[in-house]
Amino acid sequence: DADVTQTPRNRITKTGKRIMLECSQTKGHDRMYWYRQDPGLGLRLIYYSFDVKDINKGEISDGYSVSRQAQAKFSLSLESAIPNQTALYFCATSGDRDYNEQFFGPGTRLTVL
Amino acid sequence: AQSVTQLGSHVSVSEGALVLLRCNYSSSVPPYLFWYVQYPNQGLQLLLKYTSAATLVKGINGFEAEFKKSETSFHLTKPSAHMSDAAEYFCAVSESPGNTGKLIFGQGTTLQVKP
């Protein structure tokens, strides 16, 4: 079984809809991250969380919000989706002992029409 | 602020040929550097990492990278390409070693391996 899972894997939605992407992990890691990947831009950090009570904005947090429901769960929400949020979204985790090594989920491909 | 530049968004090699993917970084502190690989329809997985120990780092699947401080480079190499190496490769630098663990990624290089 995968250590980091993301649901859904694919989602098509319309402009203005609220969307939630979910991430779960069984690695026991405290640190979790949300990235978006766009062609030619690599991965950019949206939000990160070092534990349940610690959530921080990343490079491109505008238009997004997150919730850390438990150590194992970290959700990303788009309150009112817009077409330029069409991208591949990745969740990642890292442990406290080697927090520089991140483990990635399989990604969620989101299309906003 | 740290940054990463990958030279060449697409690299094409023949099977059995040398693979060289270029990465240059900018950092005001000694960096931690990483190479990740993304196979089609999958998430990223760590190939190798440099964390201030040996400058020549060996990773999985026969890949290695050499940290060259004077050139601010961390190029990825593999002596002989295999068809299964076709993927997208990302170089990354840790924002502040010993601190947040946040990674800054390069734009990615797609490696094509021709038979």
Side-chain angles (χ1 to χ4, degrees), chain A residues 9 31 35 37 40 42-43 45 48 50 90 98-102 104-106, chain B residues 32 34 36 38 41 43-44 46 49 90 94 98-103 106-107:
Chain A
R9 293 293 312 278
R31 300 180 182 220
Y35 294 91
Q37 182 183 14
L43 277 74
L45 185 63
Y48 62 102
F50 288 167
F90 287 103
D98 190 1
Y99 43 76
N100 291 290
E101 181 171 349
Q102 295 185 13
F104 285 79
Chain B
Y32 288 179
F34 306 82
Y36 281 83
Q38 182 182 25
N41 300 314
L44 282 70
L46 184 67
K49 61 182 178 182
F90 292 94
S94 181
N99 192 355
T100 68
K102 290 164 57 181
L103 296 179
Q107 309 93 313

PDB file of all heavy atoms in Angstrom, chain A residues 9 31 35 37 40 42-43 45 48 50 90 98-102 104-106, chain B residues 32 34 36 38 41 43-44 46 49 90 94 98-103 106-107:
ATOM      1  N   ARG A   9      -7.820  11.334  -7.730  1.00  0.00           N
ATOM      2  CA  ARG A   9      -6.649  11.348  -8.605  1.00  0.00           C
ATOM      3  C   ARG A   9      -6.873  12.289  -9.788  1.00  0.00           C
ATOM      4  O   ARG A   9      -5.939  12.882 -10.307  1.00  0.00           O
ATOM      5  CB  ARG A   9      -6.337   9.948  -9.128  1.00  0.00           C
ATOM      6  CG  ARG A   9      -5.874   8.972  -8.052  1.00  0.00           C
ATOM      7  CD  ARG A   9      -4.501   9.363  -7.484  1.00  0.00           C
ATOM      8  NE  ARG A   9      -3.523   9.650  -8.500  1.00  0.00           N
ATOM      9  CZ  ARG A   9      -2.822   8.731  -9.141  1.00  0.00           C
ATOM     10  NH1 ARG A   9      -2.970   7.470  -8.842  1.00  0.00           N
ATOM     11  NH2 ARG A   9      -1.935   9.095 -10.067  1.00  0.00           N
ATOM     12  N   ARG A  31       5.574  16.457   9.234  1.00  0.00           N
ATOM     13  CA  ARG A  31       5.597  17.541   8.257  1.00  0.00           C
ATOM     14  C   ARG A  31       4.876  17.124   6.988  1.00  0.00           C
ATOM     15  O   ARG A  31       5.141  16.050   6.434  1.00  0.00           O
ATOM     16  CB  ARG A  31       7.035  17.935   7.937  1.00  0.00           C
ATOM     17  CG  ARG A  31       7.790  18.414   9.162  1.00  0.00           C
ATOM     18  CD  ARG A  31       9.211  18.806   8.857  1.00  0.00           C
ATOM     19  NE  ARG A  31       9.909  19.213  10.071  1.00  0.00           N
ATOM     20  CZ  ARG A  31      10.754  20.217  10.149  1.00  0.00           C
ATOM     21  NH1 ARG A  31      11.032  20.927   9.064  1.00  0.00           N
ATOM     22  NH2 ARG A  31      11.344  20.525  11.286  1.00  0.00           N
ATOM     23  N   TYR A  35       2.013  21.028  -3.023  1.00  0.00           N
ATOM     24  CA  TYR A  35       2.651  21.679  -4.159  1.00  0.00           C
ATOM     25  C   TYR A  35       1.705  21.655  -5.356  1.00  0.00           C
ATOM     26  O   TYR A  35       0.851  20.781  -5.466  1.00  0.00           O
ATOM     27  CB  TYR A  35       3.908  20.920  -4.601  1.00  0.00           C
ATOM     28  CG  TYR A  35       5.056  20.895  -3.632  1.00  0.00           C
ATOM     29  CD1 TYR A  35       5.184  19.874  -2.687  1.00  0.00           C
ATOM     30  CD2 TYR A  35       6.046  21.876  -3.684  1.00  0.00           C
ATOM     31  CE1 TYR A  35       6.261  19.840  -1.817  1.00  0.00           C
ATOM     32  CE2 TYR A  35       7.137  21.841  -2.824  1.00  0.00           C
ATOM     33  CZ  TYR A  35       7.232  20.818  -1.895  1.00  0.00           C
ATOM     34  OH  TYR A  35       8.305  20.782  -1.035  1.00  0.00           O
ATOM     35  N   GLN A  37       2.169  21.607  -9.663  1.00  0.00           N
ATOM     36  CA  GLN A  37       3.130  21.455 -10.751  1.00  0.00           C
ATOM     37  C   GLN A  37       2.511  21.965 -12.037  1.00  0.00           C
ATOM     38  O   GLN A  37       1.409  21.543 -12.412  1.00  0.00           O
ATOM     39  CB  GLN A  37       3.538  19.982 -10.925  1.00  0.00           C
ATOM     40  CG  GLN A  37       4.567  19.772 -12.015  1.00  0.00           C
ATOM     41  CD  GLN A  37       4.912  18.312 -12.217  1.00  0.00           C
ATOM     42  OE1 GLN A  37       4.219  17.416 -11.735  1.00  0.00           O
ATOM     43  NE2 GLN A  37       6.007  18.055 -12.914  1.00  0.00           N
ATOM     44  N   GLY A  40       6.944  23.457 -17.222  1.00  0.00           N
ATOM     45  CA  GLY A  40       7.959  24.487 -17.350  1.00  0.00           C
ATOM     46  C   GLY A  40       8.216  25.297 -16.106  1.00  0.00           C
ATOM     47  O   GLY A  40       9.125  26.136 -16.096  1.00  0.00           O
ATOM     48  N   GLY A  42       8.159  23.674 -12.838  1.00  0.00           N
ATOM     49  CA  GLY A  42       8.534  22.803 -11.738  1.00  0.00           C
ATOM     50  C   GLY A  42       7.427  22.727 -10.699  1.00  0.00           C
ATOM     51  O   GLY A  42       6.251  22.874 -11.005  1.00  0.00           O
ATOM     52  N   LEU A  43       7.808  22.496  -9.454  1.00  0.00           N
ATOM     53  CA  LEU A  43       6.846  22.423  -8.361  1.00  0.00           C
ATOM     54  C   LEU A  43       6.954  23.682  -7.512  1.00  0.00           C
ATOM     55  O   LEU A  43       8.059  24.122  -7.182  1.00  0.00           O
ATOM     56  CB  LEU A  43       7.126  21.212  -7.469  1.00  0.00           C
ATOM     57  CG  LEU A  43       6.556  19.873  -7.935  1.00  0.00           C
ATOM     58  CD1 LEU A  43       7.353  19.330  -9.100  1.00  0.00           C
ATOM     59  CD2 LEU A  43       6.544  18.884  -6.785  1.00  0.00           C
ATOM     60  N   LEU A  45       5.490  25.562  -3.907  1.00  0.00           N
ATOM     61  CA  LEU A  45       4.903  25.245  -2.618  1.00  0.00           C
ATOM     62  C   LEU A  45       3.699  26.125  -2.340  1.00  0.00           C
ATOM     63  O   LEU A  45       3.780  27.350  -2.423  1.00  0.00           O
ATOM     64  CB  LEU A  45       5.962  25.427  -1.520  1.00  0.00           C
ATOM     65  CG  LEU A  45       5.593  25.045  -0.109  1.00  0.00           C
ATOM     66  CD1 LEU A  45       5.285  23.557  -0.008  1.00  0.00           C
ATOM     67  CD2 LEU A  45       6.721  25.427   0.844  1.00  0.00           C
ATOM     68  N   TYR A  48       2.431  24.510   3.865  1.00  0.00           N
ATOM     69  CA  TYR A  48       3.102  23.434   4.568  1.00  0.00           C
ATOM     70  C   TYR A  48       2.737  23.471   6.039  1.00  0.00           C
ATOM     71  O   TYR A  48       2.360  24.510   6.584  1.00  0.00           O
ATOM     72  CB  TYR A  48       4.615  23.484   4.357  1.00  0.00           C
ATOM     73  CG  TYR A  48       5.308  24.723   4.857  1.00  0.00           C
ATOM     74  CD1 TYR A  48       6.026  24.710   6.052  1.00  0.00           C
ATOM     75  CD2 TYR A  48       5.299  25.898   4.113  1.00  0.00           C
ATOM     76  CE1 TYR A  48       6.689  25.843   6.493  1.00  0.00           C
ATOM     77  CE2 TYR A  48       5.958  27.026   4.553  1.00  0.00           C
ATOM     78  CZ  TYR A  48       6.645  26.996   5.733  1.00  0.00           C
ATOM     79  OH  TYR A  48       7.311  28.133   6.174  1.00  0.00           O
ATOM     80  N   PHE A  50       3.989  21.781   9.897  1.00  0.00           N
ATOM     81  CA  PHE A  50       4.986  21.028  10.646  1.00  0.00           C
ATOM     82  C   PHE A  50       4.363  20.151  11.720  1.00  0.00           C
ATOM     83  O   PHE A  50       4.988  19.228  12.218  1.00  0.00           O
ATOM     84  CB  PHE A  50       6.019  21.968  11.268  1.00  0.00           C
ATOM     85  CG  PHE A  50       6.960  22.561  10.265  1.00  0.00           C
ATOM     86  CD1 PHE A  50       7.770  23.625  10.604  1.00  0.00           C
ATOM     87  CD2 PHE A  50       7.050  22.065   8.979  1.00  0.00           C
ATOM     88  CE1 PHE A  50       8.645  24.178   9.680  1.00  0.00           C
ATOM     89  CE2 PHE A  50       7.919  22.608   8.045  1.00  0.00           C
ATOM     90  CZ  PHE A  50       8.718  23.665   8.405  1.00  0.00           C
ATOM     91  N   PHE A  90       0.425  17.976  -5.795  1.00  0.00           N
ATOM     92  CA  PHE A  90       1.097  16.922  -5.042  1.00  0.00           C
ATOM     93  C   PHE A  90       1.116  17.240  -3.560  1.00  0.00           C
ATOM     94  O   PHE A  90       1.359  18.369  -3.148  1.00  0.00           O
ATOM     95  CB  PHE A  90       2.552  16.768  -5.501  1.00  0.00           C
ATOM     96  CG  PHE A  90       2.691  16.119  -6.839  1.00  0.00           C
ATOM     97  CD1 PHE A  90       2.979  16.864  -7.966  1.00  0.00           C
ATOM     98  CD2 PHE A  90       2.535  14.743  -6.974  1.00  0.00           C
ATOM     99  CE1 PHE A  90       3.112  16.268  -9.203  1.00  0.00           C
ATOM    100  CE2 PHE A  90       2.671  14.132  -8.205  1.00  0.00           C
ATOM    101  CZ  PHE A  90       2.945  14.896  -9.322  1.00  0.00           C
ATOM    102  N   ASP A  98      14.965  13.543   9.271  1.00  0.00           N
ATOM    103  CA  ASP A  98      15.554  13.892   7.972  1.00  0.00           C
ATOM    104  C   ASP A  98      14.516  14.671   7.191  1.00  0.00           C
ATOM    105  O   ASP A  98      13.975  14.183   6.188  1.00  0.00           O
ATOM    106  CB  ASP A  98      16.003  12.643   7.224  1.00  0.00           C
ATOM    107  CG  ASP A  98      16.825  12.988   5.985  1.00  0.00           C
ATOM    108  OD1 ASP A  98      17.052  14.200   5.740  1.00  0.00           O
ATOM    109  OD2 ASP A  98      17.212  12.067   5.246  1.00  0.00           O
ATOM    110  N   TYR A  99      14.224  15.885   7.659  1.00  0.00           N
ATOM    111  CA  TYR A  99      13.096  16.614   7.098  1.00  0.00           C
ATOM    112  C   TYR A  99      13.353  17.129   5.704  1.00  0.00           C
ATOM    113  O   TYR A  99      12.450  17.616   5.045  1.00  0.00           O
ATOM    114  CB  TYR A  99      12.673  17.748   8.019  1.00  0.00           C
ATOM    115  CG  TYR A  99      13.813  18.530   8.608  1.00  0.00           C
ATOM    116  CD1 TYR A  99      14.509  19.454   7.843  1.00  0.00           C
ATOM    117  CD2 TYR A  99      14.189  18.343   9.916  1.00  0.00           C
ATOM    118  CE1 TYR A  99      15.549  20.168   8.376  1.00  0.00           C
ATOM    119  CE2 TYR A  99      15.237  19.050  10.462  1.00  0.00           C
ATOM    120  CZ  TYR A  99      15.921  19.962   9.686  1.00  0.00           C
ATOM    121  OH  TYR A  99      16.962  20.661  10.207  1.00  0.00           O
ATOM    122  N   ASN A 100      14.608  17.025   5.235  1.00  0.00           N
ATOM    123  CA  ASN A 100      14.887  17.457   3.875  1.00  0.00           C
ATOM    124  C   ASN A 100      14.477  16.436   2.832  1.00  0.00           C
ATOM    125  O   ASN A 100      14.388  16.761   1.647  1.00  0.00           O
ATOM    126  CB  ASN A 100      16.370  17.770   3.712  1.00  0.00           C
ATOM    127  CG  ASN A 100      16.774  19.012   4.481  1.00  0.00           C
ATOM    128  OD1 ASN A 100      16.397  20.116   4.118  1.00  0.00           O
ATOM    129  ND2 ASN A 100      17.511  18.835   5.554  1.00  0.00           N
ATOM    130  N   GLU A 101      14.253  15.208   3.236  1.00  0.00           N
ATOM    131  CA  GLU A 101      13.843  14.178   2.293  1.00  0.00           C
ATOM    132  C   GLU A 101      12.328  14.076   2.300  1.00  0.00           C
ATOM    133  O   GLU A 101      11.728  13.670   3.291  1.00  0.00           O
ATOM    134  CB  GLU A 101      14.449  12.830   2.638  1.00  0.00           C
ATOM    135  CG  GLU A 101      14.060  11.739   1.652  1.00  0.00           C
ATOM    136  CD  GLU A 101      14.822  10.463   1.871  1.00  0.00           C
ATOM    137  OE1 GLU A 101      15.800  10.465   2.648  1.00  0.00           O
ATOM    138  OE2 GLU A 101      14.435   9.447   1.265  1.00  0.00           O
ATOM    139  N   GLN A 102      11.701  14.442   1.219  1.00  0.00           N
ATOM    140  CA  GLN A 102      10.262  14.448   1.138  1.00  0.00           C
ATOM    141  C   GLN A 102       9.761  13.257   0.337  1.00  0.00           C
ATOM    142  O   GLN A 102      10.384  12.827  -0.636  1.00  0.00           O
ATOM    143  CB  GLN A 102       9.764  15.760   0.527  1.00  0.00           C
ATOM    144  CG  GLN A 102      10.087  16.958   1.413  1.00  0.00           C
ATOM    145  CD  GLN A 102       9.506  18.252   0.910  1.00  0.00           C
ATOM    146  OE1 GLN A 102       8.656  18.275   0.025  1.00  0.00           O
ATOM    147  NE2 GLN A 102       9.956  19.356   1.485  1.00  0.00           N
ATOM    148  N   PHE A 104       6.459  11.816  -1.773  1.00  0.00           N
ATOM    149  CA  PHE A 104       5.356  12.392  -2.511  1.00  0.00           C
ATOM    150  C   PHE A 104       4.219  11.404  -2.755  1.00  0.00           C
ATOM    151  O   PHE A 104       4.446  10.201  -2.959  1.00  0.00           O
ATOM    152  CB  PHE A 104       5.842  12.912  -3.868  1.00  0.00           C
ATOM    153  CG  PHE A 104       6.615  14.192  -3.770  1.00  0.00           C
ATOM    154  CD1 PHE A 104       7.936  14.191  -3.368  1.00  0.00           C
ATOM    155  CD2 PHE A 104       6.009  15.399  -4.063  1.00  0.00           C
ATOM    156  CE1 PHE A 104       8.655  15.381  -3.255  1.00  0.00           C
ATOM    157  CE2 PHE A 104       6.715  16.599  -3.965  1.00  0.00           C
ATOM    158  CZ  PHE A 104       8.033  16.582  -3.550  1.00  0.00           C
ATOM    159  N   GLY A 105       3.013  11.943  -2.773  1.00  0.00           N
ATOM    160  CA  GLY A 105       1.867  11.179  -3.220  1.00  0.00           C
ATOM    161  C   GLY A 105       1.834  11.107  -4.735  1.00  0.00           C
ATOM    162  O   GLY A 105       2.663  11.728  -5.410  1.00  0.00           O
ATOM    163  N   PRO A 106       0.862  10.400  -5.305  1.00  0.00           N
ATOM    164  CA  PRO A 106       0.796  10.197  -6.755  1.00  0.00           C
ATOM    165  C   PRO A 106       0.266  11.388  -7.526  1.00  0.00           C
ATOM    166  O   PRO A 106       0.346  11.422  -8.748  1.00  0.00           O
ATOM    167  CB  PRO A 106      -0.136   8.995  -6.897  1.00  0.00           C
ATOM    168  CG  PRO A 106      -1.025   9.094  -5.702  1.00  0.00           C
ATOM    169  CD  PRO A 106      -0.159   9.623  -4.596  1.00  0.00           C
TER     170      PRO A 106
ATOM    171  N   TYR B  32      21.729  22.084   0.850  1.00  0.00           N
ATOM    172  CA  TYR B  32      21.397  20.676   0.687  1.00  0.00           C
ATOM    173  C   TYR B  32      20.745  20.573  -0.689  1.00  0.00           C
ATOM    174  O   TYR B  32      19.845  21.349  -1.009  1.00  0.00           O
ATOM    175  CB  TYR B  32      20.415  20.194   1.742  1.00  0.00           C
ATOM    176  CG  TYR B  32      20.980  20.050   3.142  1.00  0.00           C
ATOM    177  CD1 TYR B  32      20.168  19.631   4.186  1.00  0.00           C
ATOM    178  CD2 TYR B  32      22.307  20.336   3.431  1.00  0.00           C
ATOM    179  CE1 TYR B  32      20.659  19.497   5.472  1.00  0.00           C
ATOM    180  CE2 TYR B  32      22.806  20.210   4.715  1.00  0.00           C
ATOM    181  CZ  TYR B  32      21.977  19.790   5.733  1.00  0.00           C
ATOM    182  OH  TYR B  32      22.460  19.654   6.998  1.00  0.00           O
ATOM    183  N   PHE B  34      19.174  18.080  -4.029  1.00  0.00           N
ATOM    184  CA  PHE B  34      18.451  16.846  -4.278  1.00  0.00           C
ATOM    185  C   PHE B  34      18.167  16.697  -5.778  1.00  0.00           C
ATOM    186  O   PHE B  34      18.021  17.683  -6.500  1.00  0.00           O
ATOM    187  CB  PHE B  34      17.094  16.859  -3.549  1.00  0.00           C
ATOM    188  CG  PHE B  34      17.196  17.140  -2.080  1.00  0.00           C
ATOM    189  CD1 PHE B  34      17.313  18.442  -1.611  1.00  0.00           C
ATOM    190  CD2 PHE B  34      17.189  16.105  -1.163  1.00  0.00           C
ATOM    191  CE1 PHE B  34      17.419  18.711  -0.269  1.00  0.00           C
ATOM    192  CE2 PHE B  34      17.295  16.364   0.194  1.00  0.00           C
ATOM    193  CZ  PHE B  34      17.403  17.669   0.640  1.00  0.00           C
ATOM    194  N   TYR B  36      15.190  14.561  -7.849  1.00  0.00           N
ATOM    195  CA  TYR B  36      14.007  13.727  -7.811  1.00  0.00           C
ATOM    196  C   TYR B  36      13.666  13.294  -9.231  1.00  0.00           C
ATOM    197  O   TYR B  36      13.918  14.022 -10.201  1.00  0.00           O
ATOM    198  CB  TYR B  36      12.815  14.489  -7.228  1.00  0.00           C
ATOM    199  CG  TYR B  36      12.798  14.610  -5.733  1.00  0.00           C
ATOM    200  CD1 TYR B  36      13.521  15.601  -5.077  1.00  0.00           C
ATOM    201  CD2 TYR B  36      12.038  13.733  -4.964  1.00  0.00           C
ATOM    202  CE1 TYR B  36      13.496  15.706  -3.696  1.00  0.00           C
ATOM    203  CE2 TYR B  36      12.006  13.837  -3.581  1.00  0.00           C
ATOM    204  CZ  TYR B  36      12.729  14.828  -2.961  1.00  0.00           C
ATOM    205  OH  TYR B  36      12.692  14.924  -1.595  1.00  0.00           O
ATOM    206  N   GLN B  38      10.420  11.790 -11.704  1.00  0.00           N
ATOM    207  CA  GLN B  38       8.971  11.596 -11.812  1.00  0.00           C
ATOM    208  C   GLN B  38       8.686  10.766 -13.051  1.00  0.00           C
ATOM    209  O   GLN B  38       8.863  11.244 -14.181  1.00  0.00           O
ATOM    210  CB  GLN B  38       8.252  12.944 -11.906  1.00  0.00           C
ATOM    211  CG  GLN B  38       6.738  12.825 -11.966  1.00  0.00           C
ATOM    212  CD  GLN B  38       6.065  14.180 -12.116  1.00  0.00           C
ATOM    213  OE1 GLN B  38       6.646  15.134 -12.617  1.00  0.00           O
ATOM    214  NE2 GLN B  38       4.822  14.265 -11.683  1.00  0.00           N
ATOM    215  N   ASN B  41       2.726   9.670 -14.805  1.00  0.00           N
ATOM    216  CA  ASN B  41       1.551   9.428 -13.959  1.00  0.00           C
ATOM    217  C   ASN B  41       1.897   8.993 -12.534  1.00  0.00           C
ATOM    218  O   ASN B  41       1.111   8.285 -11.887  1.00  0.00           O
ATOM    219  CB  ASN B  41       0.635   8.384 -14.607  1.00  0.00           C
ATOM    220  CG  ASN B  41       0.135   8.831 -15.963  1.00  0.00           C
ATOM    221  OD1 ASN B  41      -0.300   9.969 -16.128  1.00  0.00           O
ATOM    222  ND2 ASN B  41       0.251   7.966 -16.949  1.00  0.00           N
ATOM    223  N   GLY B  43       4.040  10.202  -8.671  1.00  0.00           N
ATOM    224  CA  GLY B  43       4.626  11.276  -7.894  1.00  0.00           C
ATOM    225  C   GLY B  43       6.138  11.271  -8.007  1.00  0.00           C
ATOM    226  O   GLY B  43       6.726  10.450  -8.707  1.00  0.00           O
ATOM    227  N   LEU B  44       6.773  12.198  -7.332  1.00  0.00           N
ATOM    228  CA  LEU B  44       8.230  12.290  -7.369  1.00  0.00           C
ATOM    229  C   LEU B  44       8.838  11.313  -6.374  1.00  0.00           C
ATOM    230  O   LEU B  44       8.300  11.090  -5.297  1.00  0.00           O
ATOM    231  CB  LEU B  44       8.686  13.701  -7.006  1.00  0.00           C
ATOM    232  CG  LEU B  44       8.580  14.779  -8.085  1.00  0.00           C
ATOM    233  CD1 LEU B  44       7.139  15.141  -8.389  1.00  0.00           C
ATOM    234  CD2 LEU B  44       9.370  16.023  -7.663  1.00  0.00           C
ATOM    235  N   LEU B  46      12.793  10.279  -4.622  1.00  0.00           N
ATOM    236  CA  LEU B  46      14.148  10.768  -4.439  1.00  0.00           C
ATOM    237  C   LEU B  46      15.148   9.863  -5.150  1.00  0.00           C
ATOM    238  O   LEU B  46      15.157   8.653  -4.961  1.00  0.00           O
ATOM    239  CB  LEU B  46      14.476  10.835  -2.950  1.00  0.00           C
ATOM    240  CG  LEU B  46      15.830  11.406  -2.587  1.00  0.00           C
ATOM    241  CD1 LEU B  46      15.891  12.895  -2.940  1.00  0.00           C
ATOM    242  CD2 LEU B  46      16.111  11.206  -1.099  1.00  0.00           C
ATOM    243  N   LYS B  49      20.771  12.643  -2.802  1.00  0.00           N
ATOM    244  CA  LYS B  49      20.817  13.910  -2.088  1.00  0.00           C
ATOM    245  C   LYS B  49      22.241  14.215  -1.639  1.00  0.00           C
ATOM    246  O   LYS B  49      23.026  13.300  -1.358  1.00  0.00           O
ATOM    247  CB  LYS B  49      19.884  13.892  -0.886  1.00  0.00           C
ATOM    248  CG  LYS B  49      20.221  12.830   0.143  1.00  0.00           C
ATOM    249  CD  LYS B  49      19.201  12.847   1.285  1.00  0.00           C
ATOM    250  CE  LYS B  49      19.505  11.741   2.288  1.00  0.00           C
ATOM    251  NZ  LYS B  49      18.499  11.703   3.393  1.00  0.00           N
ATOM    252  N   PHE B  90      13.901  16.443 -11.585  1.00  0.00           N
ATOM    253  CA  PHE B  90      13.873  17.733 -10.916  1.00  0.00           C
ATOM    254  C   PHE B  90      15.054  17.853  -9.960  1.00  0.00           C
ATOM    255  O   PHE B  90      15.287  16.964  -9.139  1.00  0.00           O
ATOM    256  CB  PHE B  90      12.586  17.907 -10.112  1.00  0.00           C
ATOM    257  CG  PHE B  90      11.350  18.018 -10.944  1.00  0.00           C
ATOM    258  CD1 PHE B  90      10.594  16.890 -11.230  1.00  0.00           C
ATOM    259  CD2 PHE B  90      10.935  19.241 -11.439  1.00  0.00           C
ATOM    260  CE1 PHE B  90       9.446  16.982 -12.006  1.00  0.00           C
ATOM    261  CE2 PHE B  90       9.780  19.344 -12.212  1.00  0.00           C
ATOM    262  CZ  PHE B  90       9.036  18.214 -12.495  1.00  0.00           C
ATOM    263  N   SER B  94      17.288  22.732  -0.640  1.00  0.00           N
ATOM    264  CA  SER B  94      16.577  22.973   0.603  1.00  0.00           C
ATOM    265  C   SER B  94      16.714  24.426   0.968  1.00  0.00           C
ATOM    266  O   SER B  94      17.822  24.972   0.932  1.00  0.00           O
ATOM    267  CB  SER B  94      17.139  22.094   1.708  1.00  0.00           C
ATOM    268  OG  SER B  94      16.429  22.303   2.902  1.00  0.00           O
ATOM    269  N   GLY B  98      19.033  22.779   7.936  1.00  0.00           N
ATOM    270  CA  GLY B  98      18.917  22.778   9.382  1.00  0.00           C
ATOM    271  C   GLY B  98      17.731  23.569   9.872  1.00  0.00           C
ATOM    272  O   GLY B  98      17.583  23.790  11.062  1.00  0.00           O
ATOM    273  N   ASN B  99      16.844  23.963   8.997  1.00  0.00           N
ATOM    274  CA  ASN B  99      15.735  24.806   9.428  1.00  0.00           C
ATOM    275  C   ASN B  99      14.399  24.228   8.974  1.00  0.00           C
ATOM    276  O   ASN B  99      13.872  23.329   9.590  1.00  0.00           O
ATOM    277  CB  ASN B  99      15.946  26.227   8.924  1.00  0.00           C
ATOM    278  CG  ASN B  99      14.984  27.218   9.566  1.00  0.00           C
ATOM    279  OD1 ASN B  99      14.103  26.819  10.323  1.00  0.00           O
ATOM    280  ND2 ASN B  99      15.140  28.472   9.260  1.00  0.00           N
ATOM    281  N   THR B 100      13.855  24.734   7.919  1.00  0.00           N
ATOM    282  CA  THR B 100      12.482  24.388   7.573  1.00  0.00           C
ATOM    283  C   THR B 100      12.333  23.096   6.769  1.00  0.00           C
ATOM    284  O   THR B 100      11.284  22.486   6.817  1.00  0.00           O
ATOM    285  CB  THR B 100      11.838  25.497   6.732  1.00  0.00           C
ATOM    286  OG1 THR B 100      12.479  25.540   5.450  1.00  0.00           O
ATOM    287  CG2 THR B 100      12.000  26.847   7.414  1.00  0.00           C
ATOM    288  N   GLY B 101      13.344  22.739   6.007  1.00  0.00           N
ATOM    289  CA  GLY B 101      13.185  21.590   5.132  1.00  0.00           C
ATOM    290  C   GLY B 101      12.374  21.883   3.893  1.00  0.00           C
ATOM    291  O   GLY B 101      12.082  20.976   3.121  1.00  0.00           O
ATOM    292  N   LYS B 102      12.006  23.135   3.666  1.00  0.00           N
ATOM    293  CA  LYS B 102      11.267  23.466   2.456  1.00  0.00           C
ATOM    294  C   LYS B 102      12.190  23.328   1.257  1.00  0.00           C
ATOM    295  O   LYS B 102      13.350  23.700   1.309  1.00  0.00           O
ATOM    296  CB  LYS B 102      10.749  24.904   2.546  1.00  0.00           C
ATOM    297  CG  LYS B 102       9.639  25.094   3.551  1.00  0.00           C
ATOM    298  CD  LYS B 102       9.433  26.553   3.883  1.00  0.00           C
ATOM    299  CE  LYS B 102       9.130  27.389   2.663  1.00  0.00           C
ATOM    300  NZ  LYS B 102       8.959  28.811   3.029  1.00  0.00           N
ATOM    301  N   LEU B 103      11.643  22.789   0.180  1.00  0.00           N
ATOM    302  CA  LEU B 103      12.421  22.572  -1.035  1.00  0.00           C
ATOM    303  C   LEU B 103      12.038  23.569  -2.110  1.00  0.00           C
ATOM    304  O   LEU B 103      10.869  23.887  -2.282  1.00  0.00           O
ATOM    305  CB  LEU B 103      12.198  21.152  -1.565  1.00  0.00           C
ATOM    306  CG  LEU B 103      12.670  20.009  -0.682  1.00  0.00           C
ATOM    307  CD1 LEU B 103      12.359  18.675  -1.343  1.00  0.00           C
ATOM    308  CD2 LEU B 103      14.155  20.127  -0.396  1.00  0.00           C
ATOM    309  N   GLY B 106      13.749  23.157  -9.360  1.00  0.00           N
ATOM    310  CA  GLY B 106      13.993  23.661 -10.689  1.00  0.00           C
ATOM    311  C   GLY B 106      12.802  23.372 -11.588  1.00  0.00           C
ATOM    312  O   GLY B 106      11.820  22.758 -11.170  1.00  0.00           O
ATOM    313  N   GLN B 107      12.926  23.796 -12.833  1.00  0.00           N
ATOM    314  CA  GLN B 107      11.805  23.703 -13.767  1.00  0.00           C
ATOM    315  C   GLN B 107      11.582  22.301 -14.298  1.00  0.00           C
ATOM    316  O   GLN B 107      10.529  22.007 -14.865  1.00  0.00           O
ATOM    317  CB  GLN B 107      12.037  24.651 -14.953  1.00  0.00           C
ATOM    318  CG  GLN B 107      12.371  26.081 -14.547  1.00  0.00           C
ATOM    319  CD  GLN B 107      13.877  26.300 -14.452  1.00  0.00           C
ATOM    320  OE1 GLN B 107      14.614  25.504 -13.867  1.00  0.00           O
ATOM    321  NE2 GLN B 107      14.337  27.401 -15.018  1.00  0.00           N
TER     322      GLN B 107
END
